[in-house]
Amino acid sequence: MSTVEDDDALLRVAARMPKRRRRPFRAILAVLTAQYTIVAIVVSVSVAGTLRYLVTPQIVAKFELIAAALKR
């Protein structure tokens, strides 16, 4: 009877052992997607700001020079 009791005790212990919890793939994917989206927004806003405040006035000035030269 001791072997039967030992087997039952082992089964009870095994049933109570916590199983290893795996991280859900979707949660990790959602975090990475959110990070990528935030970085893409920051980069695009900085590029748009650079174009608006640095490049556009230079292009407009060149076109104004060309237009003034053509009027002469």
Side-chain angles (χ1 to χ4, degrees):
M1 279 240 202
S2 65
T3 58
V4 173
E5 290 174 0
D6 289 340
D7 289 341
D8 289 341
L10 287 175
L11 288 175
R12 279 184 263 136
V13 169
R16 278 186 271 157
M17 289 179 62
K19 293 182 181 178
R20 187 173 148 225
R21 188 172 162 219
R22 295 186 312 149
R23 292 186 180 181
F25 177 72
R26 289 183 186 178
I28 294 171
L29 184 64
V31 168
L32 293 177
T33 303
Q35 287 177 340
Y36 177 79
T37 303
I38 290 169
V39 169
I41 289 171
V42 169
V43 168
S44 59
V45 166
S46 65
V47 168
T50 302
L51 289 175
R52 170 70 176 95
Y53 291 107
L54 298 178
V55 177
T56 304
Q58 293 174 359
I59 294 172
V60 170
K62 287 180 184 178
F63 277 114
E64 287 175 350
L65 281 174
I66 293 171
L70 289 176
K71 286 185 181 179
R72 293 183 197 169

